[in-house]
Every structure is written in structure tokens, then in C-alpha cells.
């Protein structure tokens, strides 16, 4: 569903002449002219070179290394303007505007031989009046965008006399990847220069649509105009931006919304017009609610096409008029179409106006708060809250548990991102029980929809529709950032444009200033002789400068300085806490990364915090994803040179290739598998490689599920933990990463694990080996009390049930219910059984929202590497519509897993519950039936042979 479309009040549209620059014939050449190939728009140099056969697919094999020469060159896109000038009608009173929705990144723009602009910010929309160049052409009739290598530009900037030095000893002030020391100086996707989960292609190009818009004082009526395309125009007006902000009367970032107050609908236009209008009006209506405003007066529109003029109006509607928007797990993500009509000259001529512009914007009504003030003494006493500050969100006045993951860019090359691939990722998040996604501050500002600002695909509008909350961030990540004027003057419009664009989306919950920067500034302050200087710069940029810009553009969402933060001393004025606090108190939020696999399930190493916004462990992609990029049989091995070259953790920190630090990341995964599972090794080398890949995914899932259960448990304890966001949801290529979903859209084990542990009601064991204590809790994230029954059953590995108990429970709001508590392994185990021979199945059944919900988890007293597993002898019977019935004819199939074949994209669900189902303990006599649900739009194989579906379990780590 698109969030906005435009219509104009005429049978034939009174619009400006809009020319899509993708209709021109483009060429791409390198600096010395030795390469000249057809270009396209929107595109990037790598993609056009690939299309022309100059390079191979950048994601194939080791092409990230062999194609580095593309990054080092300067690339120029040129197009003959004749197709435009042939349709252009010269008009002395008219104006022609050149609009770029996204240039990546450093470029000189020349129009018909005239220099237009030099640009240096990937995240901005650029609009230029080029009218004079049309009437005074020096003979050249080309549009040229000459792109400079962002890598070399960054190096050059660091050599400026006013370029600050950021040291990396004794503390790191910047995380460096393949292309070091430059990304803080270039307003570009940070991970384009490399990250520990992705490649470093440093692309360049015109990566979003671009247009020529001719405004005229006469009414140009174009019956062929596309009413859903951007830009939005009438014949004499360009609406460069439309911002819609919905909030409660009196609400702002430091004033909590009065839930009974009227809604304020604020509409702000950025207008360029070649005609002046003295008394324009704006009329707002919500047809579904039968509400229409009176004509509202925004003030006069001056004749000015050179820069944007901002006009705004407010409309108040009663609190109870609209139904509120909620995330999908807490209610209905109700959306309304808001009709916005700008009437420049009402009451003149035969029509209500000579050229009104009507937009229909899809939006919703909700309040969102980020609570950061101290807990009251009453809450500390009555609820047992650990003293300190709150740090959680509230939707429509009610605190809730944030369950989700982190989003990274969907592809190294934005211009080729498939809308259907993004929809699949977001729908997969919903299917796994998530209600929040964090848009990581090292990537890109995600688009609203395909049309708005040339987005190419829908993100925020899809989240609005699907009921997913979005934690948004400004693009600053893992580095201290300079505050030179030449950067700030580019950053301010970047931030304003993106905040205004995102305002309309009820899914947005906040703007964070960046990712993981506060901790870097605090470390610099504590460790460097001039550390106060760096902390002061951080305060200027992230406490003051960005804070003030963001909150001047929105009243509906809060601002925080950083993704991971110690919180605030004050909201008004906005003052960060940093190290100011009392011992034993809890402030801000936290994260966890621990690559010592021996501590993966040591609960004493897990943080006790209010909200955990990042935690993760890396894994391999599946064997099937490796088949997409590996070119030789010898590459199919866990530590082959090509596989290791695609492990960027820890990063090289420079251009060394293959990554000299990859053995560390490989060892971390290897150690995890060897510690917790039978070590993969069979007579079939491909099976062994496949089992290694799958085992790293299984460990990742088990680790993350254990952490999420711990954090959700904290909702009912002193920390009052109300959020856990796993790093990360999606992948940017086929390589080692922290993702739950692979680049193709294939679900990893973790994605199914999330579907289990993000269920509304869960049951989980909490084992402390130090004192041999086991606690089993049922946990609920519901606002209402949940009643149900927990079943605990001990089995041996042959599948014999040893003992079983049923326990009724009642779980209060956002809390736990104790199911079992025991101390001493001998007392916990079934009498007379060895820990290696048994395991515990935990089931929970409850009624939530008048629906029966179930969940299960498993407890093994010792590592599965030492458990006495029995051959499960799994059989699979294929039925109609890709249903499969799995049976264990021998022992228990520990972590039974069904793989769909190469070229297919989809997931397995339990037809009885309708929930995702894969990766479970298959017990003899208790068959599992699952159905494969295919993504027709993404799959390259539409009708796979059921015989090509592969079943595996831990038994297959060591047996064919």
C-alpha cells in the first residue's frame, strides 16, 4: 500500500510539464575515457558496468576484491537532452527545475554546458532552477553528472588543514573497516566503506529518480499525466515536500500527551511557485470519518522558484473521532486516507481554483512516548523496581514490550532493491512475532514508499500497513564525527528533509541521533589527554545541534542522542546523563556482544537492563545461499579461501585481502559448534559443509532465544526490561553475518527461533550451573492477565516419556509465572537417570485475545555435544500443496530441520496453528506436519520437486 498519491481537480490535469530523466539515453564513462558503456537512471556505476559485461556480478565469488578498481575511478553519466528540448516550449515567464532525489555521492552537475552545482550528500533531495541555461546554451546539449570517487574524496578531505584528527589509540574513536578513516567526512551510507557483516563496494551513481519540471503561468493540461508519480505539481506550483505531523494538543518531546486531548493535524508544504497567490487555502478531510475542515489560511505564496517557501496549517479533531493505530500484536494498525487540497486562488474562475492540488495521504493516529524519567519512590517500593531511570516506549499511553530486530540496507546497491524483497522481509518480521524494527544508523534513511521522494520501494508505508513500529536513526555510526561548518551546512537540510518526510508515518517511534557513538565519546573523555574536547564536540552535535533540528520539525516523536545511551539528566533542557549516576541504579539502555561461546548460555553474563537494543552472534548462510556465489567445488568448505574472504569479522581495518582477521570470526563459530553440538564430519564433503553452516545457525538461534527469554523475564523483575531488538534481521549479501534472514529471503534457524520466543506467551528454562539451580517461567507480554497450563515432560533420547507434570498458571500484565524451581542436578533429573541421557520438553497453552496459543522449549542438562543421541531415523512423506509429515522412527530428532531447495523462497508453517514451524525436537510417535509457503514473487523455482526438500538434524552432523 502506498502512503500517498496525488490527484488534481480537473478532467485533464493542470500540471507542470514533468520529464522523467530515465527517458534519456545515458552513457557512463570512466575518467580517462577508456570505458564508455550505456548507462541508466536510477542506477550505480557497478550495475551499469555489470549490465555492459565489463565486470561480473559484484556479489559473485571474490569480486568484492577483484572489482575494487571501480571504486578508485571517477565515473561520469551523460545524456543528450534533445528528447527533452524537443518537447520543451520556451516561455519567458516559465521556470524549469532540475530535481534529483538521490545522488551517490560526490558530483558536479552540468546542464547544457553550464555548471549547476557540486553536491556531497547522498541523503538529500536537490532542486535547481536551470531556466536560464535553457535560453543561453553555449552549444552543448547534454546533462552531465560527474561523480568523484567517494573514497578518494574522503582521503582528500582528511588532508584539509581544518580536518580534525581522531585517534584510535589508546581507545578507538572510529570503527574502521575496509576503507578506513573517511566515512565520518562523507555523507554517504556508512557501510558502503565496509562493515563486519557486509562488503565494501563504495558505489556511486544517480541512485534515485530525477526529473525536469517546467512550471508555467499558463495552465498546461496533460491528459496523459500519471497522477501517482512524483514530483507533485500544478501548472505553476511545485510541492517539493509535504510534511504531515499528527499529535495531541500541547504535546512535544518533553511534554507527555494528554490522551483525552484533541488531535492536531499539522500539514507543512515546501512550495516553489512562479506565480504569487495572496490568499491560498488548505482544506483537509478524512472521508471515512466524514470530517472536513473549513478552508485554512496558510499565508500568501510568493512568486519564488529559486528556493522552498514553507507554509503550514493546523486542524484539530476530537480525540474519539478516529480509531487509534496500534502495532499488530497489540491491536489494529488502523489507517485513514487524509485528503489535503491546496487551493492557491479560491473562488476565481469557473472552477473553485485555476489549479488546485489534492493529495491523499495514508496515515494513522497514535501517540508514542519514550519514557526516560526516574522511577518514582512508589514504583520502586510497590513494584520492586531497581532505582534509576525508565527507558521504554508507550503506545497510546500504555507501556508495552518491544520485540524485534535491527534492519540494515537490503542490498549494496540501492537502485536495484526489489520492492517485493523488502515486503517479504517485513512480512517475515510480522510472522515471527516482531512489533519493532530499528533502522540502523550506519545505513540509509529508509524510504516512505516507491513514489515519495523517489523512494523506489515501500518501507515506512509498509510498516504502517503491517503494524510494525520503526525506531529511526540519523545516519551517524560507530565514530566520533567532526563539526566543521562545511559538514553541518549539508547535514541540516539532510535531517530536516528526512524528518519531515517520515512524520506522516504512525509506525515511527523516535529519532536517534546515531548508532553507538555516546559510548565512544565517553571512552575518549576518560582515556585521552584531550578527551574533554571530543566529549564537548559530541555534546554539540548530538545533544544540541541534531536534537534541536529534529524537534523543530516534529511534535509527535521523541529524540535520543544515540542508539545505546545512558539516558538523560533532563528532557527540557535536553541534558545527557553520561557517567552521572548512583552505583546500583539502572540508566538508559544496553547491548551485548560476547563471542566467547563458553559463556553463550551463562546467564550471569547477560545484561540486566531496561531495554537491550542490540545483541547477536554471527553465523554462516545456508549451503543453498553459498551456491549462489561460489564458483568452484573446492570452495564448498567451511574454511575455504573464498568462504573465509566473505567473513569480515573482525574487519581488516584496511584494504588487506583476504581479511587477515577472518580466522578469528571463523574460530568463534567453530568453537561454538564444537562446544555445543556434535562436530560436523561425514564422508560426504558437501553434507559436512552444509551441516557446519546449519550448525552455526542453530547455535546463533539457541543463543539469541536464550537471551530474549532472559530479557523478557526482566519485565517482571527489578530491571523492568521492556525491549529486546536482535542484531540483525536481514542480509546484504551471501556471507557470514548476524542475520535471521539470508540475502535471498531464505529464513535461517534464528528466524524460526524468533517466531517461538516472540510468541505472546512463552515458557523457558533458566539454568545456573554454578549452583545447579533451574527455574522455569511462563512469560507474557499481554496487557491483560493470561491464564493457562504448563506441561513439563522428561524424555530419554530414545523418545520414551519418563515423567510429566501439568501446572496451571496466571500471569499478570507484562510479567512471569513460576512453573518450577529446583536446586541440585540430581534432584532436578528424573530419578536414576544420567544427565547425558535425558532432556526436558516444556509446553505452554494459554488463551490470548480469545485464541489458543501454544509454545514450547527444551532443556538439556548437558551440552548436546555430550548427549547420548540416538539415530532418529526420520522419514518424510510429501502430501498435497507441499505438505510434509515428518516421523522419527528411531530416537528423538534433536533440532529436526527441513530445507527447501535452491531457487525457492518461503517458509514452513504448522497448518494446525498457522504459525511458522521448523527446528524442533521430533519425538517418536509424535509426528509433525508442516506446509511450505512459497514466495512466488521471489522464487526462481516455482514448482520444486518435493523430493528435493532435505531433512536434517544434529544426528546428521556425524552420519550420512
Amino acid at each position: 500500500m502506498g502512503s500517498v498519491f496525488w490527484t488534481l481537480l480537473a478532467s485533464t490535469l493542470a500540471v507542470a510539464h514533468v520529464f522523467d530523466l530515465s527517458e534519456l539515453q545515458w552513457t557512463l564513462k570512466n575518467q580517462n575515457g577508456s570505458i564508455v558503456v550505456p548507462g541508466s537512471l536510477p542506477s550505480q556505476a557497478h550495475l551499469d558496468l555489470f549490465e555492459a559485461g565489463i565486470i561480473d556480478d559484484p556479489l559473485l565469488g571474490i569480486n568484492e576484491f577483484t572489482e575494487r578498481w571501480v571504486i578508485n575511478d571517477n565515473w561520469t553519466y551523460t545524456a543528450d537532452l534533445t528528447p527533452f528540448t524537443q518537447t520543451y516550449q520556451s516561455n519567458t515567464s516559465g521556470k524549469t527545475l532540475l530535481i534529483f532525489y538521490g545522488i551517490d555521492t560526490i558530483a558536479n552537475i552540468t546542464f547544457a554546458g553550464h555548471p549547476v552545482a557540486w553536491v556531497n550528500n547522498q541523503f538529500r533531495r536537490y532542486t535547481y532552477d536551470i531556466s536560464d541555461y535553457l535560453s543561453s546554451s553555449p552549444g552543448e546539449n547534454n546533462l552531465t553528472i560527474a561523480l568523484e570517487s567517494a573514497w578518494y574524496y574522503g582521503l582528500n578531505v582528511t588532508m584539509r588543514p581544518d580536518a580534525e584528527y581522531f585517534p584510535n589509540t589508546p581507545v578507538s574513536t572510529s570503527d574502521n573497516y575496509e576503507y578506513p578513516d573517511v566515512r565520518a567526512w562523507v555523507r554517504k551510507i556508512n557501510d558502503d566503506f565496509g562493515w563486519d557483516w557486509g562488503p565494501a563496494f563504495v558505489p556511486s551513481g544517480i541512485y534515485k529518480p530525477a526529473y525536469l519540471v517546467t512550471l508555467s503561468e499558463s495552465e498546461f493540461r496533460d491528459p496523459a499525466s500519471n497522477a501517482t508519480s512524483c514530483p507533485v505539481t500544478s501548472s505553476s506550483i511545485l510541492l517539493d515536500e509535504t510534511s504531515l505531523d499528527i499529535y495531541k494538543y500541547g504535546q512535544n518531546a518533553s511534554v507527555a500527551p494528554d490522551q483525552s486531548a484533541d488531535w492536531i493535524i499539522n500539514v507543512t508544504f515546501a512550495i516553489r511557485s512562479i506565480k504569487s497567490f495572496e490568499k491560498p487555502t488548505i482544506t483537509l478531510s478524512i472521508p471515512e470519518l466524514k470530517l472536513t475542515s473549513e478552508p485554512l489560511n496558510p499565508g500568501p505564496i510568493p512568486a519564488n522558484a529559486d528556493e522552498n517557501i514553507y507554509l503550514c496549517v493546523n486542524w484539530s479533531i476530537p480525540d474519539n473521532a478516529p480509531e487509534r493505530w496500534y502495532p499488530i500484536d497489540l491491536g489494529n494498525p488502523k489507517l485513514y486516507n487524509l485528503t489535503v487540497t491546496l487551493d492557491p486562488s479560491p473562488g476565481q474562475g469557473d472552477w473553485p481554483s485555476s489549479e488546485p492540488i489534492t493529495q491523499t495521504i495514508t496515515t494513522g493516529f497514535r501517540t508514542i512516548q519514550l519514557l526516560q524519567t526516574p522511577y518514582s519512590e512508589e514504583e520502586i517500593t510497590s513494584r520492586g523496581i531497581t532505582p534509576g531511570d525508565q527507558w521504554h516506549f508507550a503506545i497510546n499511553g500504555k507501556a508495552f514490550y518491544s520485540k524485534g530486530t535491527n534492519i540494515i540496507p537490503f542490498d549494496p546497491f540501492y537502485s536495484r532493491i526489489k520492492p517485493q524483497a523488502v515486503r517479504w522481509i517485513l512480512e517475515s518480521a510480522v510472522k515471527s512475532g516482531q512489533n519493532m524494527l530499528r533502522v540502523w544508523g550506519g545505513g540509509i534513511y529508509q524510504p516512505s514508499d516507491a513514489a515519495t521522494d523517489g523512494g523506489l520501494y515501500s518501507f515506512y508505508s509498509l510498516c504502517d500497513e503491517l503494524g510494525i513500529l520503526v525506531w529511526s536513526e540519523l545516519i551517524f555510526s560507530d565514530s566520533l564525527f567532526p563539526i566543521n561548518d562545511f559538514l553541518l551546512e549539508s547535514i541540516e537540510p539532510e535531517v530536516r528533509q528526512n524528518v519531515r518526510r517520515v512524520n506522516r508515518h504512525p509506525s515511527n517511534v523516535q529519532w536517534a541521533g546515531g548508532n553507538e557513538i555516546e559510548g565512544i565519546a565517553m571512552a575518549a573523555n576518560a582515556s585521552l589527554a584531550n578527551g574533554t574536547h571530543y566529549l564537548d564536540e559530541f555534546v554539540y552535535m548530538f545533544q544540541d545541534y541534531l536534537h534541536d533540528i529534529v524537534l523543530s520539525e516534529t511534535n509527535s516523536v521523541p529524540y535520543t542522542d544515540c542508539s545505546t545511551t545512558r539516558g538523560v539528566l533532563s528532557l527540557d533542557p535536553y541534558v545527557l546523563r553520561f557517567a552521572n549516576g548512583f552505583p546500583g541504579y539502572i540508566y538508559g539502555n544496553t547491548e551485548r556482544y560476547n563471542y566467547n561461546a563458553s559463556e553463550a548460555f551463562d546467564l550471569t553474563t547477560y545484561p540486566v537492563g531496561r531495554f537491550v537494543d542490540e545483541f547477536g552472534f554471527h553465523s554462516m548462510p545456508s549451503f543453498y545461499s553459498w551456491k549462489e556465489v561460489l564458483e568452484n567445488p573446492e570452495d564448498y568448505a567451511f574454511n575455504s579461501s573464498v568462504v573465509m574472504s566473505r567473513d569480515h569479522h573482525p574487519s581488516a581495518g584496511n584494504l588487506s585481502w583476504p581479511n587477515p582477521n577472518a580466522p578469528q570470526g571463523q574460530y568463534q563459530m567453530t568453537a561454538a559448534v564444537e562446544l555445543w553440538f556434535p562436530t560436523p564430519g561425514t564422508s560426504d564433503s558437501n553434507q559436512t559443509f552444509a551441516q557446519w553452516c546449519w550448525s552455526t545457525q542453530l547455535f546463533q538461534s539457541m543463543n539469541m532465544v536464550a537471551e530474549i527469554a532472559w530479557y523478557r523475564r526482566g519485565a517482571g523483575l527489578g530491571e523492568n526490561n521492556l525491549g529486546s531488538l536482535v542484531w540483525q534481521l536481514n542480509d546484504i549479501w551471501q556471507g557470514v553475518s548476524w542475520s535471521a534472514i539470508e540475502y535471498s529471503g531464505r529464513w535461517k534457524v534464528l528466524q524460526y527461533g524468533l517466531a517461538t520466543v516472540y510468541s505472546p506467551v512463552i515458557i523457558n528454562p533458566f539454568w545456573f550451573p554454578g549452583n545447579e539451580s533451574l527455574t522455569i517461567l511462563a512469560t507474557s507480554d499481554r496487557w491483560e492477565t493470561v491464564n493457562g497450563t504448563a506441561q513439563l515432560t522428561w524424555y530419554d533420547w530414545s523418545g520414551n516419556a519418563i515423567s510429566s507434570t501439568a501446572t496451571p498458571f496466571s500471569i499478570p500484565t507484562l510479567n512471569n509465572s513460576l512453573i518450577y524451581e529446583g536446586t541440585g542436578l540430581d534432584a532436578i533429573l528424573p530419578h536414576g537417570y544420567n544427565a547425558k541421557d535425558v532432556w526436558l520438553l516444556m509446553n505452554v497453552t494459554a488463551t490470548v485475545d480469545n485464541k489458543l496459543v501454544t509454545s514450547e522449549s527444551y532443556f538439556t542438562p548437558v551440552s548436546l555435544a555430550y548427549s547420548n543421541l540416538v539415530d532418529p531415523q526420520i522419514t518424510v512423506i510429501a502430501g498435497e500443496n507441499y505438505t510434509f509429515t515428518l516421523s522419527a522412527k528411531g530416537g528423538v530428532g534433536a533440532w529436526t530441520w527441513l530445507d527447501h531447495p535452491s531457487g525457492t523462497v518461503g517458509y514452513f508453517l504448522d497448518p494446525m496453528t498457522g504459525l511458522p514451524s521448523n527446528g524442533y525436537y521430533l519425538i517418536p510417535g509424535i509426528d509433525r506436519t508442516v506446509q511450505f509457503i512459497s514466495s512466488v514473487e521471489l522464487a526462481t523455482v516455482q514448482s520444486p520437486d518435493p523430493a528435493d526438500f532435505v531433512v536434517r538434524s544434529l544426528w546428521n552432523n556425524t552420519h550420512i
Side-chain angles (χ1 to χ4, degrees):
M1 176 185 291
S3 72
V4 59
F5 59 90
W6 302 277
T7 58
L8 298 175
L9 302 179
S11 58
T12 57
L13 304 178
V15 296
H17 183 279
V18 177
F19 187 90
D20 187 338
L21 293 181
S22 67
E23 297 178 14
L24 299 177
Q25 297 298 310
W26 291 88
T27 60
L28 172 69
K29 69 176 181 178
N30 65 339
Q31 183 164 346
N32 67 12
S34 60
I35 298 174
V36 181
V37 299
S40 56
L41 188 158
S43 188
Q44 286 153 300
H46 283 81
L47 303 182
D48 288 324
L49 292 171
F50 176 33
E51 182 68 20
I54 301 298
I55 63 174
D56 207 340
D57 182 347
L59 292 185
L60 193 64
I62 62 172
N63 288 348
E64 181 203 12
F65 170 68
T66 61
E67 295 172 3
R68 280 180 175 175
W69 62 270
V70 178
I71 299 167
N72 298 334
D73 214 333
N74 297 326
W75 297 93
T76 298
Y77 281 90
T78 303
D80 184 352
L81 286 164
T82 300
F84 168 73
T85 55
Q86 285 178 339
T87 62
Y88 170 74
Q89 296 178 358
S90 179
N91 185 335
T92 57
S93 65
K95 292 286 186 180
T96 297
L97 304 176
L98 176 61
I99 303 174
F100 289 97
Y101 285 114
I103 295 178
D104 181 13
T105 293
I106 314 300
N108 275 298
I109 304 168
T110 304
F111 188 93
H114 297 275
V116 174
W118 175 80
V119 297
N120 65 345
N121 191 315
Q122 180 176 5
F123 310 122
R124 288 180 58 183
R125 176 187 61 260
Y126 292 104
T127 303
Y128 303 105
D129 181 356
I130 50 88
S131 308
D132 292 344
Y133 306 149
L134 280 167
S135 58
S136 60
S137 172
E140 182 181 333
N141 197 33
N142 290 334
L143 173 59
T144 299
I145 296 90
L147 297 150
E148 181 180 350
S149 164
W151 164 233
Y152 284 134
Y153 167 80
L155 291 175
N156 290 336
V157 172
T158 63
M159 301 302 292
R160 286 174 53 127
D162 61 345
E164 186 172 0
Y165 170 68
F166 293 101
N168 273 322
T169 55
V171 296
S172 173
T173 61
S174 176
D175 281 352
N176 283 319
Y177 298 93
E178 277 68 29
Y179 290 85
D181 302 322
V182 302
R183 60 186 175 82
W185 299 94
V186 187
R187 295 309 298 150
K188 178 175 174 56
I189 294 174
N190 285 200
D191 66 82
D192 280 353
F193 298 98
W195 220 266
D196 55 358
W197 37 254
F201 288 112
V202 199
S204 61
I206 312 164
Y207 76 105
K208 288 185 176 182
Y211 299 90
L212 283 164
V213 176
T214 301
L215 304 177
S216 173
E217 289 192 7
S218 61
E219 294 183 26
F220 176 82
R221 295 185 179 271
D222 182 3
S225 290
N226 182 354
T228 62
S229 66
C230 56
V232 187
T233 72
S234 70
S235 59
S236 62
I237 293 175
L238 167 69
L239 290 186
D240 214 18
E241 295 179 73
T242 301
S243 176
L244 169 65
D245 197 23
I246 299 177
Y247 51 92
K248 287 291 189 171
Y249 177 81
Q251 176 189 352
N252 61 44
S254 59
V255 177
D258 176 351
Q259 296 298 327
S260 64
D262 286 351
W263 295 102
I264 304 298
I265 301 174
N266 171 272
V267 175
T268 301
F269 288 133
I271 294 177
R272 296 183 188 225
S273 176
I274 62 168
K275 295 166 63 176
S276 62
F277 299 93
E278 293 302 316
K279 295 181 179 180
T281 62
I282 298 173
T283 303
L284 311 178
S285 68
I286 307 173
E288 184 177 342
L289 299 178
K290 297 181 173 59
L291 292 174
T292 301
S293 75
E294 61 183 20
L296 305 170
N297 180 14
I301 300 174
N304 189 338
D306 295 331
E307 61 183 7
N308 285 336
I309 303 299
Y310 291 89
L311 302 177
C312 72
V313 295
N314 288 337
W315 181 32
S316 174
I317 69 171
D319 164 65
N320 61 1
E323 178 185 336
R324 297 199 183 197
W325 185 97
Y326 282 92
I328 190 63
D329 67 324
L330 296 175
N332 178 27
K334 175 62 178 177
L335 296 173
Y336 293 93
N337 287 332
L338 174 70
T339 302
V340 182
T341 299
L342 170 64
D343 201 340
S345 52
Q348 299 178 14
D350 296 332
W351 296 87
S353 169
S354 60
E355 45 181 328
I357 305 174
T358 295
Q359 301 179 71
T360 300
I361 302 173
T362 304
T363 189
F365 293 80
R366 60 87 181 95
T367 67
I368 192 74
Q369 297 165 263
L370 175 56
L371 302 174
Q372 301 181 77
T373 55
Y375 280 102
S376 67
E377 286 298 325
E378 191 278 331
E379 288 177 300
I380 293 170
T381 302
S382 65
R383 297 177 56 196
I385 300 292
T386 303
D389 294 344
Q390 305 174 82
W391 211 100
H392 61 263
F393 295 96
I395 183 81
N396 295 320
K398 299 181 73 171
F400 66 96
Y401 199 94
S402 300
K403 305 179 295 185
T405 51
N406 289 259
I407 285 281
I408 63 170
F410 296 99
D411 197 280
F413 305 102
Y414 181 97
S415 57
R416 74 171 182 187
I417 294 174
K418 299 176 182 177
Q420 61 270 32
V422 177
R423 175 175 278 274
W424 173 255
I425 295 293
L426 298 185
E427 289 179 341
S428 295
V430 172
K431 288 179 173 68
S432 60
Q434 300 180 50
N435 64 18
M436 182 177 287
L437 298 175
R438 172 178 165 240
V439 178
W440 171 68
I444 195 164
Y445 297 97
Q446 289 294 340
S448 292
D449 50 63
T452 303
D453 275 10
L456 296 183
Y457 63 90
S458 180
F459 183 82
Y460 282 96
S461 293
L462 260 180
C463 291
D464 295 343
E465 171 193 334
L466 297 172
I468 307 173
L469 296 162
V470 182
W471 164 330
S472 302
E473 291 185 6
L474 308 180
I475 307 303
F476 301 89
S477 183
D478 286 291
S479 177
L480 297 182
F481 282 81
I483 57 173
N484 301 64
D485 287 344
F486 73 89
L487 282 170
L488 298 185
E489 68 184 12
S490 177
I491 288 169
E492 180 176 356
E494 163 200 325
V495 174
R496 291 191 185 280
Q497 286 177 8
N498 284 286
V499 172
R500 288 193 291 255
R501 174 179 58 81
V502 174
N503 271 342
R504 69 183 55 165
H505 299 288
S507 55
N508 190 36
V509 301
Q510 75 152 338
W511 283 102
N515 171 65
E516 297 180 324
I517 307 171
E518 183 183 298
I520 296 174
M522 291 176 66
N525 181 56
S527 303
L528 300 176
N530 62 338
T532 303
H533 163 78
Y534 295 109
L535 186 64
D536 289 345
E537 287 195 332
F538 174 84
V539 167
Y540 176 81
M541 175 74 98
F542 294 94
Q543 175 184 284
D544 301 334
Y545 185 74
L546 295 174
H547 167 272
D548 292 351
I549 293 172
V550 169
L551 295 187
S552 70
E553 299 291 352
T554 182
N555 283 333
S556 61
V557 298
Y559 170 90
T560 50
D561 70 300
C562 188
S563 60
T564 307
T565 175
R566 288 267 294 171
V568 298
L569 290 172
S570 167
L571 285 172
D572 187 14
Y574 186 68
V575 180
L576 297 173
R577 177 174 292 281
F578 294 124
N580 299 295
F582 296 101
Y585 283 42
I586 300 176
Y587 303 106
N589 59 6
T590 188
E591 60 182 45
R592 180 186 190 265
Y593 290 101
N594 185 335
Y595 299 113
N596 180 353
S598 67
E599 297 181 347
F601 307 104
D602 182 349
L603 305 183
T604 65
T605 69
Y606 291 2
V608 175
R610 308 290 194 205
F611 196 112
V612 189
D613 66 286
E614 280 193 41
F615 55 102
F617 202 98
H618 49 307
S619 68
M620 287 275 186
S622 67
F623 182 88
Y624 301 98
S625 282
W626 283 121
K627 287 180 69 175
E628 297 167 11
V629 295
L630 298 183
E631 300 176 275
N632 301 298
E634 61 269 22
D635 297 337
Y636 288 83
F638 191 81
N639 290 316
S640 73
S641 59
V642 178
V643 167
M644 289 186 67
S645 76
R646 298 172 80 96
D647 185 346
H648 288 196
H649 170 71
S651 178
N654 53 52
L655 289 171
S656 299
W657 190 94
N659 176 16
N661 297 322
Q664 294 181 47
Q666 296 289 105
Y667 170 76
Q668 291 164 357
M669 291 185 292
T670 301
V673 171
E674 291 177 342
L675 274 170
W676 298 103
F677 309 131
T679 300
T682 71
S683 58
D684 185 321
S685 61
N686 275 353
Q687 177 182 317
T688 298
F689 180 49
Q691 291 294 130
W692 265 110
C693 294
W694 174 74
S695 295
T696 66
Q697 293 188 15
L698 178 57
F699 171 81
Q700 176 195 34
S701 179
M702 289 175 61
N703 188 188
M704 294 305 98
V705 166
E707 286 197 47
I708 294 169
W710 174 263
Y711 304 139
R712 287 190 61 178
R713 160 189 180 271
L717 302 179
E719 61 265 37
N720 194 31
N721 181 298
L722 289 178
S724 57
L725 305 179
V726 175
W727 186 270
Q728 66 205 60
L729 178 59
N730 61 308
D731 235 333
I732 197 170
W733 74 333
Q734 305 92 334
V736 174
S737 84
W738 287 246
S739 74
I741 301 176
E742 299 178 18
Y743 177 73
S744 67
R746 179 183 293 268
W747 287 21
K748 287 184 176 180
V749 181
L750 173 56
Q751 180 66 7
Y752 289 97
L754 295 177
T756 298
V757 76
Y758 278 153
S759 178
V761 183
I762 57 175
I763 185 168
N764 286 93
F766 301 93
W767 167 248
F768 294 88
N771 63 357
E772 292 191 344
S773 68
L774 175 66
T775 301
I776 299 175
L777 298 177
T779 301
S780 168
D781 65 11
R782 298 295 87 189
W783 283 329
E784 69 278 2
T785 297
V786 172
N787 298 306
T789 302
Q791 187 86 24
L792 308 183
T793 306
W794 282 99
Y795 285 92
D796 64 21
W797 288 111
S798 294
N800 299 306
I802 301 169
S803 63
S804 186
T805 58
T807 304
F809 61 79
S810 181
I811 311 176
T813 300
L814 293 167
N815 216 312
N816 308 293
S817 180
L818 179 64
I819 304 301
Y820 172 85
E821 197 168 33
T823 303
L825 186 57
D826 288 342
I828 294 170
L829 294 175
H831 181 68
Y833 281 86
N834 186 292
K836 297 181 180 181
D837 296 325
V838 294
W839 62 279
L840 178 64
L841 171 65
M842 293 157 284
N843 294 94
V844 67
T845 303
T847 301
V848 174
D849 298 330
N850 297 317
K851 296 178 182 178
L852 188 67
V853 298
T854 62
S855 186
E856 70 181 36
S857 64
Y858 319 109
F859 170 67
T860 54
V862 298
S863 162
L864 288 164
Y866 307 112
S867 296
N868 292 324
L869 301 180
V870 175
D871 183 357
Q873 302 176 33
I874 299 172
T875 64
V876 180
I877 299 176
E880 294 182 353
N881 298 319
Y882 293 102
T883 58
F884 300 88
T885 299
L886 288 76
S887 305
K889 303 300 184 183
V892 174
W895 296 113
T896 298
W897 177 262
L898 193 58
D899 257 327
H900 50 92
S902 293
T904 59
V905 177
Y907 72 103
F908 295 95
L909 64 72
D910 182 333
M912 298 294 293
T913 66
L915 299 175
S917 180
N918 207 357
Y920 39 74
Y921 281 30
L922 186 63
I923 302 169
I926 306 178
D927 295 349
R928 298 266 191 162
T929 298
V930 296
Q931 182 178 13
F932 180 65
I933 306 299
S934 175
S935 170
V936 176
E937 291 184 310
L938 296 181
T940 57
V941 176
Q942 298 294 339
S943 300
D945 185 341
D948 291 335
F949 287 71
V950 175
V951 68
R952 65 180 85 248
S953 72
L954 282 180
W955 183 259
N956 300 110
N957 277 13
T958 52
H959 299 81
I960 296 293

